[in-house]
Amino acid sequence: MSGQVHTRRTLYPAVGDCYGDGEEWRVVSLIEEIDEMKNQNGAVSDNKSDINMAITVEVAGSSLFTTAAQQAPLAARRYITISRKKLLHSLDIEGGVRLNAWIDSMRASSPTHVKSSPLLSQDQSSWINQHPSALEMFEQITKASKGKQIVMFLDYDGTLSPIVEDPDRAFMSDAMRATVRKLARHFPTAIVSGRCRDKVYSFVQLAELYYAGSHGMDIKGPSKGSIYKNGTDHQAVLFQPASEFVPMIDEVYKALLEKTKFTRGAKVEHNKFCLSVHFRCVDEKKWSELALLVRAVLKEYPKLRLTQGRKVLEIRPTIKWDKGKALEFLLESLGFANSADIFPIYIGDDRTDEDAFKVLRERGQGFGILVSKSPKETSASYSLQEPSEASYEFFAAIGTTEKEVVATKMQAEKTTSRNESITSQLKNVQGRDDNLYFLV
Ligand SMILES: O=P(O)(O)OC[C@H]1O[C@H](O[C@H]2O[C@H](CO)[C@@H](O)[C@H](O)[C@H]2O)[C@H](O)[C@@H](O)[C@@H]1O
């Protein structure tokens, strides 16, 4: 004997939330209603024509539901079931607008292939005029930084390591490590990353650097103190302005793991004071759905905000802290807060690096370099096509030039007691000022 059975299956415990003008509604469960034909053995055969996807929505003053039948009851928790078609239509008009903006921006921030068209190449060339390749500007950069203390700030992913599918395998090459080591020998050098500080340290493995993890919310100086520190205080720096958020971040991490567990390819990364939800390995057709899931979780945490990067949504505390603030903090802890004779150079590839580029523009000191193959709106002054150690050797070369001058000057210093005039002669010959002394 066989018969028809009506079954309701909850597909997702919570799907997402949407906001419109003066209204708010939240999808709490996606229920698949299926009229199943059960045979004698209990095996199920879905009769497609009977499938009706319905969605249960928790309502807070929505004008979505117009007919009397659709109006939510006045209970404390108001739920209503609407058709899948209607929900998706509404998603498009309301929450969809913001959601699509994220997704478009995520797509644009990490193009998989750069299409070549006459228009694009025109855009590209005008962009390159505005943001020339740093590699062609040796003379200008050397001249601009002359007599000033260069301080290097380097982003990690996409700047020191190539972008790869698995965030746990974004290794840095030995050649790149050797170049960064060389840079750190010439200048105070900091890694500024969205990653958790320990993780980025495990990739870079250079103890002589400053590390600003979690988008600058976790800053630590070299364990033995910095040889560059301008002043007498050589204590190692440790600064964590978002410590109070750790329990909340842990909680949201667990919620996100749970909510995204059915989204194939999605990955949630715990970056200590912030989180990343990776879209790179998720089918693009599922991106909106995943973004909705993330936003649904975040709805319960108004003290956290969402930003986007290269195929990633980043969740972080709403505190006024970013990579730009981290750069300023580092300059200050190096003793350069009020120094006119510093030349900070920040190299990064992502939207979050723009905060640091902006700070440099506002200070009118140093400049930003954007690593990008394609034109992007940026506050950086220069560009680099890709993250290669060859590019960063360029800065080491500036360092070498500076160092030679400094060494000569040091030699001159020693001789000063014997012959004051040698120093002044050197100064005249090389046209450098005394700010370079503390480099050595
Ligand atoms: O500030 P960053 O050091 O650039 O960190 C930003 C995010 O970088 C990582 O994700 C990015 O790189 C991954 C590995 O190449 C790639 O799979 C992912 O698609 C990129 O978005 C890191 O995993 C994130 O936690 C950081 O927020």
Side-chain angles (χ1 to χ4, degrees):
M1 230 181 91
S2 67
Q4 199 171 26
V5 182
H6 186 82
T7 308
R8 284 164 71 94
R9 283 190 219 148
T10 300
L11 297 182
Y12 294 100
V15 173
D17 58 359
C18 282
Y19 313 90
D21 285 337
E23 65 181 20
E24 186 175 309
W25 46 282
R26 177 147 55 104
V27 182
V28 289
S29 65
L30 177 58
I31 295 164
E32 189 185 38
E33 294 190 355
I34 305 171
D35 286 330
E36 293 168 334
M37 296 298 290
K38 271 199 173 174
N39 66 22
Q40 269 174 317
N41 305 323
V44 176
S45 77
D46 287 355
N47 181 342
K48 296 283 181 223
S49 61
D50 288 337
I51 292 179
N52 166 38
M53 291 287 272
I55 290 162
T56 300
V57 180
E58 182 187 345
V59 190
S62 176
S63 61
L64 250 183
F65 314 106
T66 44
T67 68
Q70 286 174 328
Q71 287 300 329
L74 293 171
R77 291 191 67 159
R78 300 189 301 169
Y79 294 102
I80 199 156
T81 297
I82 59 167
S83 78
R84 187 173 192 266
K85 204 171 151 198
K86 172 142 189 162
L87 174 84
L88 292 180
H89 175 68
S90 312
L91 269 179
D92 273 354
I93 324 167
E94 299 184 38
V97 175
R98 196 141 42 111
L99 196 84
N100 288 342
W102 280 347
I103 287 167
D104 287 349
S105 166
M106 248 196 309
R107 229 173 249 136
S109 70
S110 194
T112 35
H113 43 261
V114 180
K115 284 186 211 127
S116 151
S117 74
L119 190 66
L120 193 76
S121 63
Q122 207 179 20
D123 285 354
Q124 185 117 18
S125 69
S126 80
W127 190 79
I128 286 287
N129 281 340
Q130 285 161 20
H131 310 281
S133 165
L135 299 181
E136 284 157 27
M137 310 302 283
F138 188 83
E139 286 293 309
Q140 284 91 329
I141 295 177
T142 312
K143 210 165 148 199
S145 62
K146 191 170 170 178
K148 295 186 175 156
Q149 169 69 75
I150 292 178
V151 187
M152 292 295 302
F153 296 91
L154 305 162
D155 166 55
Y156 184 74
D157 289 279
T159 299
L160 294 181
S161 69
I163 293 293
V164 293
E165 285 199 343
D166 181 357
D168 291 334
R169 302 192 59 78
F171 302 117
M172 181 178 171
S173 69
D174 289 343
M176 183 65 95
R177 185 169 300 103
T179 301
V180 176
R181 185 180 286 124
K182 208 185 275 181
L183 283 175
R185 252 187 252 133
H186 295 310
F187 320 115
T189 301
I191 307 292
V192 187
S193 172
R195 299 253 190 185
C196 144
R197 180 166 51 78
D198 289 346
K199 182 80 176 217
V200 80
Y201 181 80
S202 74
F203 285 142
V204 179
Q205 294 171 24
L206 294 172
E208 58 270 45
L209 309 183
Y210 282 82
Y211 289 87
S214 308
H215 295 288
M217 290 179 285
D218 190 6
I219 301 182
K220 193 162 184 285
S223 43
K224 290 184 191 146
S226 173
I227 51 161
Y228 294 106
K229 208 158 177 186
N230 198 13
T232 49
D233 173 18
H234 284 215
Q235 292 278 308
V237 182
L238 179 66
F239 182 65
Q240 298 178 324
S243 318
E244 64 181 283
F245 287 90
V246 169
M248 190 184 283
I249 292 287
D250 288 346
E251 201 176 298
V252 174
Y253 174 67
K254 284 182 203 138
L256 284 171
L257 277 184
E258 180 60 28
K259 291 280 155 56
T260 60
K261 69 183 176 194
F262 297 118
T263 309
R264 188 179 294 172
K267 185 177 170 82
V268 188
E269 188 182 2
H270 199 315
N271 288 332
K272 192 163 180 179
F273 298 103
C274 52
L275 303 165
S276 291
V277 180
H278 290 277
F279 284 59
R280 189 167 295 276
C281 297
V282 175
D283 180 349
E284 248 184 77
K285 290 189 211 89
K286 301 274 176 194
W287 280 14
S288 307
E289 194 177 300
L290 180 56
L292 271 174
L293 288 173
V294 174
R295 211 172 56 167
V297 172
L298 266 263
K299 173 77 189 341
E300 308 297 324
Y301 298 90
K303 287 191 172 167
L304 299 180
R305 67 186 165 117
L306 262 180
T307 53
Q308 88 252 359
R310 301 180 69 171
K311 299 193 179 173
V312 70
L313 280 181
E314 290 157 331
I315 292 126
R316 41 180 163 149
T318 47
I319 60 165
K320 287 192 176 134
W321 198 263
D322 53 37
K323 289 181 172 183
K325 292 269 191 289
L327 179 151
E328 291 191 304
F329 176 88
L330 282 163
L331 288 179
E332 194 168 320
S333 56
L334 278 158
F336 302 139
N338 301 312
S339 170
D341 297 319
I342 51 156
F343 199 86
I345 298 176
Y346 188 106
I347 311 181
D349 71 315
D350 214 341
R351 287 170 73 99
T352 56
D353 300 312
E354 291 295 331
D355 295 318
F357 297 152
K358 270 188 213 127
V359 164
L360 294 182
R361 275 203 185 265
E362 282 158 16
R363 290 175 73 107
Q365 287 181 315
F367 52 76
I369 300 176
L370 178 72
V371 182
S372 178
K373 274 194 174 18
S374 53
K376 278 182 194 168
E377 205 180 306
T378 181
S379 298
S381 307
Y382 297 104
S383 63
L384 281 173
Q385 284 270 309
E386 52 200 336
S388 77
E389 65 280 359
S391 313
Y392 308 132
E393 280 291 334
F394 167 88
F395 296 101
I398 296 181
T400 309
T401 314
E402 294 281 306
K403 206 85 177 193
E404 278 162 11
V405 175
V406 173
T408 322
K409 288 185 93 179
M410 283 298 284
Q411 192 53 41
E413 271 273 272
K414 280 184 200 154
T415 350
T416 302
S417 53
R418 279 183 279 135
N419 192 348
E420 282 272 353
S421 68
I422 294 178
T423 312
S424 64
Q425 271 175 17
L426 256 166
K427 219 170 184 175
N428 290 339
V429 171
Q430 292 171 332
R432 299 269 164 172
D433 66 24
D434 292 327
N435 293 309
L436 294 168
Y437 281 107
F438 57 79
L439 265 172
V440 215

